[in-house]
Amino acid sequence: MSLALQTFSTVKDANAALQAAGTRYLGGGTLVVRAANEGDVSTSSLVRVTDPGLSQIAVAGGNVGLGASVTMAAIASHPELAALAPAACAVGGPAIRNMATVGGNLFAPAPYGDFAVALLALGATVVNEDGETPIETFLANRDTSRAIVTTVGFALPGAESFRFLKVSRVKPKGVSVLSIAALLELAADGTVVSARIALGCMADRPIRATAAEKALLGCKLTPREIAPALAAAGEGIAPITDPIASAWYRTEVLPVHLGRLLSN
Amino acid sequence: MAKVPVQFTLNGSEKAEFIESGTTLLHALRDKIGDTSPKGGCHQGTCGACSVIIDGELRLSCLTLAETCNGADIKTTAGLAEGGVLHPLQRAFLDAFATQCGFCTPGMIMAAKVLLDRTPNPSRDDVVEALSGNICRCTGYEPIIQAVLVAARANSQNAA
Ligand SMILES: Cc1cc2nc3c(=O)[nH]c(=O)nc-3n(C[C@H](O)[C@H](O)[C@H](O)COP(=O)(O)OP(=O)(O)OC[C@H]3O[C@@H](n4cnc5c(N)ncnc54)[C@H](O)[C@@H]3O)c2cc1C
Ligand code: FES
Ligand code: FES
């Protein structure tokens, strides 16, 4: 492995250094260093930032700001982020969770990116030097984005409105067959007023299940009423095939697991 | 490749080395410093054999660049025995036949140590969760889980 690491105290200086060819940002390193160990020579130089602000978690007025260097373990143990703990705990084993960052998860290709699935359902905003970007736009353009992500922001969901499910074959820490996150607002009588559903492993990156979201509006979360939403969940998906599951298998089991997540 | 200075505490001793930039902590510990207790199994983050404790947290030394550890407190299995007496976890792994080829053992012990430091009386599920990032190809895991539970009981009896 031939890698050189450059350390900066500010994001601004690091962003300038990142413009050089063959240079990549180092978050927790669980994907970047792994790639280098595997013999990937496309990266010759890594850049990191030591600004402690990047590791801060801010919860105020119902809004959350997660620094890009915040780890999955930090989220899982934060008393005010209990609603997000299942999504953070879905990422790898204990050592991986101590290293894996929010910023890195946004760039992780399927079958990874479980926490990014949660952030997509939450309608998060991704902040870098270009300003604030809705997460959908960010994910669509992430392959060409070279700017360092500094923060993600979103409204803290109530425990009742946010649901997350990861399906894996090896328990407790195997990679995803699929993951699903749902942000649901229900009226007093239990009717769905708004729904955001995000899927992992149903494309090369987290995607929205927009047809299922629409079909859920006005429904109660009973097996009969959610059936059209489950039937619509496969619209627009292109699941990955990997050693864990084929695209066919992922397509077949998606409605089953979405049904389990939605049914009370 | 440029050499960079790295300084950290390893099992209570100060270490200062010049290493090639981009060197993993696993490589620095084993090949430069001579602590061969962390094992290089997969170098991919999957097996956990290289697990060490950095500033109280379990981490994978194969995915950690040594120069990011400046000023850190690093613990490896090599530092556990005191005055020639094995740590209760090491003793329990031997007594419970939790070690066969032994390759996974240092990583397992580090993962178990972090658990027992925080949760002195863990449940079986706690142990399974704590070891879930560590692969053993020999034991079938049950003796390892039992060893950690035995070490926890020994610890709580010592404390009582
Ligand atoms: C054994 C193992 C198991 C895993 N299991 C899971 C799992 O179950 N679920 C899951 O989701 N993931 C899993 N992962 C993948 C990975 O650990 C996580 O996705 C993690 O969140 C990636 O974050 P990182 O900080 O380590 O990324 P890094 O490896 O540091 O970076 C990944 C990519 O993101 C870029 N990047 C990182 N931070 C920023 C930033 N702030 N701004 C701009 N670019 C940035 C890097 O340049 C790089 O291209 C696993 C990995 C391993 C090795
Ligand atoms: S060698 Fe580090 S996890 Fe396998
Ligand atoms: S004892 Fe051989 S790998 Fe665990």
Side-chain angles (χ1 to χ4, degrees):
Chain A
M1 177 169 74
S2 178
L3 271 182
L5 177 66
Q6 295 171 268
T7 300
F8 297 92
S9 53
T10 67
V11 172
K12 189 166 177 288
D13 292 343
N15 265 326
L18 263 182
Q19 301 315 310
T23 307
R24 233 169 144 189
Y25 187 73
L26 174 72
T30 58
L31 291 172
V32 167
V33 179
R34 182 164 76 159
N37 287 350
E38 217 170 25
D40 172 7
V41 289
S42 64
T43 305
S44 53
S45 182
L46 291 173
V47 163
R48 74 172 177 141
V49 177
T50 52
D51 179 353
L54 289 181
S55 300
Q56 263 164 25
I57 297 178
V59 188
N63 289 313
V64 182
L66 297 177
S69 303
V70 167
T71 62
M72 297 301 136
I75 295 165
S77 65
H78 195 286
E80 290 176 275
L81 299 182
L84 298 182
C89 288
V91 176
I96 290 284
R97 289 198 290 276
N98 286 334
M99 302 173 72
T101 68
V102 171
N105 206 261
L106 286 172
F107 289 89
Y112 300 140
D114 293 315
F115 194 75
V117 171
L119 290 173
L120 178 57
L122 291 168
T125 300
V126 179
V127 182
N128 61 21
E129 67 174 357
D130 301 330
E132 297 187 0
T133 313
I135 186 164
E136 280 93 336
T137 318
F138 174 83
L139 288 171
N141 301 325
R142 72 178 182 183
D143 299 346
T144 51
S145 159
R146 292 187 66 77
I148 296 167
V149 173
T150 52
T151 334
V152 293
F154 51 89
L156 184 63
E160 293 306 303
S161 54
F162 184 66
R163 302 173 184 202
F164 180 87
L165 174 76
K166 169 173 168 172
V167 181
S168 63
R169 292 181 191 253
V170 179
K171 301 287 184 332
K173 70 122 216 178
V175 295
S176 286
V177 171
L178 57 89
S179 54
I180 314 173
L183 183 69
L184 302 172
E185 197 190 327
L186 305 184
D189 68 350
T191 308
V192 177
V193 178
S194 74
R196 279 181 70 97
I197 299 173
L199 306 174
C201 297
M202 291 299 144
D204 65 344
R205 65 200 72 198
I207 53 166
R208 292 264 298 275
T210 45
E213 291 171 357
K214 275 200 200 97
L216 268 185
L217 294 180
C219 296
K220 293 203 171 112
L221 296 177
T222 61
R224 195 178 56 80
E225 292 199 35
I226 64 173
L230 303 189
E235 250 177 61
I237 63 169
I240 57 160
T241 289
D242 66 5
I244 301 296
S246 65
W248 173 83
Y249 180 77
R250 286 185 158 107
T251 308
E252 289 294 307
V253 298
L254 169 63
V256 177
H257 293 292
L258 181 59
R260 287 182 192 159
L261 183 74
L262 294 176
S263 299
N264 284 321
Chain B
M1 182 63 62
K3 295 236 177 187
V4 287
V6 180
Q7 246 180 312
F8 49 71
T9 307
L10 177 65
N11 298 322
S13 304
E14 293 293 327
K15 300 286 172 195
E17 296 285 342
F18 282 97
I19 55 155
E20 281 185 6
S21 184
T23 302
T24 63
L25 179 62
L26 176 65
H27 187 63
L29 288 175
R30 290 183 59 88
D31 301 337
K32 192 85 189 168
I33 293 172
D35 179 349
T36 54
S37 64
K39 305 296 179 217
C42 64
H43 302 267
Q44 298 292 296
T46 314
C47 74
C50 67
S51 300
V52 299
I53 301 175
I54 303 180
D55 293 332
E57 284 189 346
L58 191 70
R59 289 188 183 236
L60 301 169
S61 61
C62 72
L63 299 183
T64 302
L65 297 187
E67 41 201 309
T68 63
C69 298
N70 247 327
D73 177 52
I74 301 177
K75 291 193 169 66
T76 67
T77 317
L80 285 186
E82 277 181 30
V85 179
L86 292 182
H87 184 277
L89 271 167
Q90 292 171 308
R91 185 78 262 159
F93 267 64
L94 281 178
D95 292 347
F97 302 104
T99 281
Q100 287 188 28
C101 80
F103 201 81
C104 70
T105 311
M108 290 282 181
I109 288 184
M110 286 291 102
K113 181 165 190 318
V114 172
L115 170 71
L116 297 191
D117 286 349
R118 292 186 190 169
T119 313
N121 287 307
S123 66
R124 189 179 185 285
D125 284 352
D126 292 336
V127 176
V128 170
E129 171 61 36
L131 301 180
S132 63
N134 295 68
I135 291 174
C136 175
R137 46 162 214 181
C138 305
T139 65
Y141 298 103
E142 197 53 42
I144 297 178
I145 296 166
Q146 290 308 322
V148 178
L149 289 169
V150 165
R153 278 201 294 278
N155 257 346
S156 55
Q157 276 159 15
N158 290 343

